[in-house]
Amino acid sequence: MKSIKSKIQISMLSVMLIGSVLIGVITALLNASGIDDMMAKTLGPATQMAADAVEWRMNNYWTALQEAAASDIFRESEPDDPELIPIRDEIALRNGFLYTGKMDASGFSSTGYSYAEEDYFQQCKENMEPYISDIMSDGQQLIFLLEVPIINDGRFEGVVYGGIDADFLSDIVVNLSMGNDGVAYILDNKGNVIGHRERSVVENSSNMIEAAKTDPSVMDIAAVNQQMIQGETGFGTYNFYGDNKLVGFAPIDGYQEWSIAIETSQHEFKSTLDRSIMLTIIVVVLVVIATFPVAVLVGKSISGPIRACVIRLEKLAEGDLHTSTPVVKSRDETAELTKALDATLYRLNDVVQDVSYHLGKMGQGDFRENITRTYWGDFIEIEKSIKAIHGSLNDTLRQISQSAGTVADNASQMSNGAQSLSQGAAEQASAIHELSSTVTDIAQNAKQTAAAAAEAGMFVNQAGAQLSTSVDYVKELNAAMEKISTSSSKIGKIINTIEDIAFQTNILALNASVEAARAGSAGKGFAVVSNEVRSLASKSDEAAKATKELIESSIATVMEGSQVVSKVTESLDKTNSIAENVTTKMNVMVKAIENQTSAISQVTDGINQISSVVENTSSTSQESAATSQELSKQSLLMNTLVHKFKLK
């Protein structure tokens, strides 16, 4: 645990240290923020001015070429016409071109060569807009080739071109660098550096966007360059080979689609901030060193008296009320602390002595002396408690003395009653055990009866199911008899038809015989046939009558069978109904037997519980008997002990 002295020292040093650090940090942050704001406000306008300067320079080139493309001499002359040479030289000299010339619609140039396959010619011809080539070498220097289309009645008829020295961009950016480590550069629309103070960067076509695909360390600068080639204006930061850079960038408007950036080194412009931070650290260290002895003296003057009081309070906690209190010569709160501690010890000693005296008397069993000392403050509660304890013990012991004899007598009576209770409980436990055994046997018999009733119910259900099946078969037989009766009726109708046919045939045969007799000898053969037909008709009529009698007999028999089947069906329906009633009653009986079995089980459980309770009661009564005997002995002993106290 830390001491007050160390806390004071640490607190003072901490306050000074934190205050100094906060001041230094706030100052550093304000300075850093001010530098960042200044750079942002400086780089933005400077970059825009540089972009405007390059744009103005390029516009002069474009204007000169556009005027030439609109002139009649360039429209009407061939690229290699001698009269075009002085005009081309004058335009180049007046406007700063290295050279100028014309290409016709097929790409043939003033130089005598065809450039039809070159990208810059194809772009200008296809879009019919001014176009500038990528930076390239003409064999002696790096150049840009500017092309302006010659358009006549909406037709492309060639271009006017001019070559310019690419170094003019580097000359511009050299004068734009800020600080020793600052640099400015210009990018084309593909991200290639086309203007830089170091010519080798331009000659090597440095492109950070492409480099970032294989070198993750230049991802930040590649992201800024990506914004530049997209024509954005802004302010950003990136780390370039270990140095944090601030960069402002702006697009160069016009046909060239370039962008310019000016970057500065944060380390270079924030060197004063680093010196300020170092100076702040030195001041903080000096302040801490100067504060340390002051904190030591202040802590010692406060912690010394407090430490002495702590030592005295520790002795008080150990029960020492006689050692003197430390003396402090100062007049501050520490002196008041020691005086208050001395007064506390005096009054506490006085109270302890008085309480010890009266508790000693009570410890000796003497309650005849009254407590008359008056305490003060919160010690009044101790006074009330001592008086309450004295009076309460005096009254309690007197009542105990009076009750001890009565308790002894009652304990003896309780002992006798407990013995009787123990014997009766043992007899009840035996009877309950026999009853439990009997009920268990009844429960087992009831379970067997329930199982037999359930099995009988199952057989009745099976019989009822079989009877229902028989009823269904009889119903099917009844339906078949009805179909037979119907078919017999139809056969009777057919027999009637056959009788009618036989009757008509007989009449026809009779008529044929009459006609044969009239015909004489010519109708003898026909008469024989008519006789045969009459004989066949008679036989058919006899057979039909015999068949009709058999069918009528069959129909009567079928009707009798149908009536018998109906009676059997009715009887089976009644039997099935009775079987269903029997099944229902059997199910009710099985359910009742199951309920009785469950009730017997519950009775068995109740008897087992009663048996357990009776056994516990028997055991408890035995213990109570033993306890009552012991209580009788202890009451006699208590009566003897109470008489040792001296009461009022």
Side-chain angles (χ1 to χ4, degrees):
M1 183 179 67
K2 295 181 179 180
S3 62
I4 293 178
K5 178 180 178 181
S6 62
K7 289 181 179 179
I8 293 174
Q9 294 172 356
I10 293 173
S11 299
M12 292 182 66
L13 294 175
S14 299
V15 170
M16 295 301 299
L17 180 62
I18 293 172
S20 302
V21 171
L22 286 176
I23 293 173
V25 170
I26 292 172
T27 303
L29 291 176
L30 290 176
N31 290 336
S33 177
I35 291 173
D36 290 342
D37 291 341
M38 180 190 70
M39 295 305 300
K41 293 177 181 178
T42 302
L43 285 177
T47 306
Q48 190 60 54
M49 290 176 63
D52 293 340
V54 176
E55 180 186 356
W56 176 81
R57 180 77 173 269
M58 294 301 297
N59 284 340
N60 290 336
Y61 292 135
W62 289 117
T63 301
L65 294 179
Q66 287 173 338
E67 290 176 354
S71 66
D72 293 336
I73 186 66
F74 275 92
R75 288 175 177 270
E76 297 172 357
S77 300
E78 294 297 326
D80 55 353
D81 282 350
E83 62 181 4
L84 193 61
I85 294 175
I87 297 174
R88 291 192 289 109
D89 293 341
E90 182 185 359
I91 293 174
L93 180 63
R94 185 175 65 246
N95 295 286
F97 289 102
L98 296 174
Y99 48 79
T100 60
K102 176 183 177 181
M103 297 180 190
D104 60 16
S106 64
F108 182 74
S109 172
S110 299
T111 61
Y113 297 98
S114 176
Y115 297 94
E117 301 301 326
E118 297 295 335
D119 180 67
Y120 49 81
F121 178 77
Q122 294 290 338
Q123 291 289 340
C124 186
K125 180 179 181 180
E126 180 180 352
N127 298 321
M128 289 195 292
E129 292 286 342
Y131 186 79
I132 185 170
S133 69
D134 295 336
I135 191 169
M136 59 184 179
S137 176
D138 63 354
Q140 297 178 350
Q141 57 189 344
L142 296 176
I143 66 167
F144 292 105
L145 195 65
L146 285 70
E147 300 90 19
V148 174
I150 299 173
I151 301 174
N152 189 9
D153 294 332
R155 299 191 308 275
F156 177 80
E157 295 185 350
V159 299
V160 176
Y161 65 87
I164 61 174
D165 187 358
D167 289 340
F168 88 94
L169 295 177
S170 297
D171 295 337
I172 291 175
V173 298
V174 165
N175 299 321
L176 294 176
S177 60
M178 302 179 66
N180 297 327
D181 297 331
V183 67
Y185 56 88
I186 299 175
L187 302 180
D188 62 10
N189 59 356
K190 297 181 178 63
N192 297 316
V193 177
I194 58 176
H196 198 276
R197 69 181 181 184
E198 297 180 8
R199 182 180 176 85
S200 61
V201 176
V202 179
E203 292 176 346
N204 295 329
S205 299
S206 176
N207 190 318
M208 289 299 174
I209 297 176
E210 294 297 326
K213 295 179 180 179
T214 57
D215 186 3
S217 63
V218 295
M219 290 292 292
D220 293 341
I221 187 171
V224 173
N225 289 354
Q226 188 68 38
Q227 291 180 277
M228 292 174 62
I229 66 175
Q230 291 175 356
E232 298 182 12
T233 300
F235 179 80
T237 61
Y238 52 76
N239 185 280
F240 188 65
Y241 295 111
D243 188 9
N244 291 326
K245 302 288 187 179
L246 300 173
V247 59
F249 51 90
I252 299 173
D253 296 331
Y255 298 112
Q256 53 276 351
E257 297 182 359
W258 294 342
S259 182
I260 187 170
I262 300 176
E263 72 173 28
T264 63
S265 172
Q266 282 187 334
H267 176 72
E268 182 178 359
F269 279 88
K270 291 186 178 180
S271 59
T272 56
L273 177 62
D274 296 337
R275 290 195 295 271
S276 175
I277 294 174
M278 182 60 66
L279 181 61
T280 301
I281 293 173
I282 294 172
V283 171
V284 169
V285 173
L286 293 176
V287 169
V288 171
I289 293 174
T291 306
F292 183 74
V294 177
V296 171
L297 292 175
V298 173
K300 185 176 181 181
S301 65
I302 295 174
S303 64
I306 294 176
R307 182 59 185 167
C309 290
V310 169
I311 293 173
R312 183 64 191 89
L313 289 172
E314 289 175 350
K315 292 181 179 180
L316 175 62
E318 295 173 355
D320 185 358
L321 296 174
H322 302 291
T323 302
S324 60
T325 306
V327 179
V328 179
K329 296 181 180 180
S330 64
R331 297 181 180 180
D332 57 10
E333 287 82 356
T334 57
E336 295 178 359
L337 176 62
T338 56
K339 291 179 182 179
L341 178 59
D342 185 62
T344 300
L345 290 172
Y346 174 76
R347 294 183 179 182
L348 184 60
N349 188 33
D350 191 20
V351 171
V352 169
Q353 292 296 329
D354 186 68
V355 171
S356 298
Y357 172 76
H358 289 291
L359 289 178
K361 286 291 186 180
M362 285 189 285
Q364 296 172 2
D366 188 357
F367 289 86
R368 294 174 295 179
E369 185 175 350
N370 292 327
I371 300 174
T372 58
R373 183 68 177 271
T374 302
Y375 299 163
W376 57 90
D378 290 337
F379 291 127
I380 293 176
E381 297 299 325
I382 297 178
E383 176 191 350
K384 292 180 181 178
S385 298
I386 291 295
K387 290 181 179 180
I389 291 171
H390 186 275
S392 178
L393 286 175
N394 190 70
D395 294 339
T396 302
L397 290 172
R398 183 184 299 108
Q399 293 175 6
I400 291 173
S401 179
Q402 293 174 357
S403 302
T406 304
V407 171
D409 295 338
N410 292 336
S412 178
Q413 295 177 2
M414 184 186 298
S415 177
N416 295 331
Q419 292 293 336
S420 300
L421 177 61
S422 176
Q423 183 178 1
E427 295 175 356
Q428 289 179 356
S430 177
I432 289 296
H433 182 72
E434 293 178 358
L435 179 60
S436 175
S437 177
T438 302
V439 171
T440 301
D441 294 338
I442 295 173
Q444 291 178 352
N445 294 332
K447 289 180 180 179
Q448 294 176 356
T449 303
E455 186 176 4
M458 182 179 64
F459 291 151
V460 170
N461 289 331
Q462 293 177 355
Q466 188 63 36
L467 185 59
S468 298
T469 303
S470 301
V471 169
D472 293 335
Y473 290 156
V474 171
K475 289 181 179 179
E476 293 177 1
L477 177 61
N478 194 11
M481 295 295 291
E482 290 179 355
K483 291 179 181 179
I484 293 171
S485 178
T486 302
S487 299
S488 299
S489 299
K490 292 179 179 180
I491 292 171
K493 293 179 181 180
I494 293 171
I495 295 302
N496 290 331
T497 302
I498 292 172
E499 288 179 348
D500 291 338
I501 292 171
F503 178 74
Q504 293 295 332
T505 301
N506 195 16
I507 292 175
L508 289 174
L510 181 61
N511 291 330
S513 298
V514 172
E515 293 296 329
R518 288 179 181 177
S521 60
K524 289 182 179 180
F526 190 70
V528 174
V529 173
S530 65
N531 291 329
E532 291 296 329
V533 170
R534 185 187 306 167
S535 175
L536 181 62
S538 299
K539 293 178 179 179
S540 297
D541 183 53
E542 292 175 356
K545 289 180 179 179
T547 302
K548 183 177 181 180
E549 291 176 357
L550 291 174
I551 290 174
E552 287 177 351
S553 176
S554 297
I555 291 173
T557 304
V558 168
M559 291 298 295
E560 292 177 357
S562 178
Q563 292 177 359
V564 172
V565 168
S566 297
K567 292 179 181 180
V568 171
T569 301
E570 183 179 0
S571 177
L572 287 175
D573 287 337
K574 292 181 180 180
T575 304
N576 188 29
S577 176
I578 294 170
E580 289 178 353
N581 293 330
V582 171
T583 301
T584 302
K585 296 300 183 179
M586 182 60 71
N587 290 332
V588 173
M589 182 179 69
V590 170
K591 186 65 177 180
I593 293 174
E594 290 178 351
N595 292 334
Q596 290 176 1
T597 303
S598 177
I600 291 172
S601 297
Q602 293 178 358
V603 170
T604 302
D605 293 339
I607 291 175
N608 290 332
Q609 292 178 358
I610 293 171
S611 177
S612 177
V613 171
V614 170
E615 289 178 357
N616 291 334
T617 302
S618 176
S619 177
T620 304
S621 63
Q622 292 176 0
E623 293 176 357
S624 177
T627 302
S628 63
Q629 290 179 357
E630 184 64 23
L631 177 61
S632 178
K633 294 178 182 179
Q634 293 297 325
S635 64
L636 295 175
L637 179 59
M638 181 182 66
N639 194 14
T640 302
L641 293 174
V642 168
H643 281 87
K644 292 182 180 180
F645 291 98
K646 300 175 182 178
L647 306 175
K648 293 181 182 180

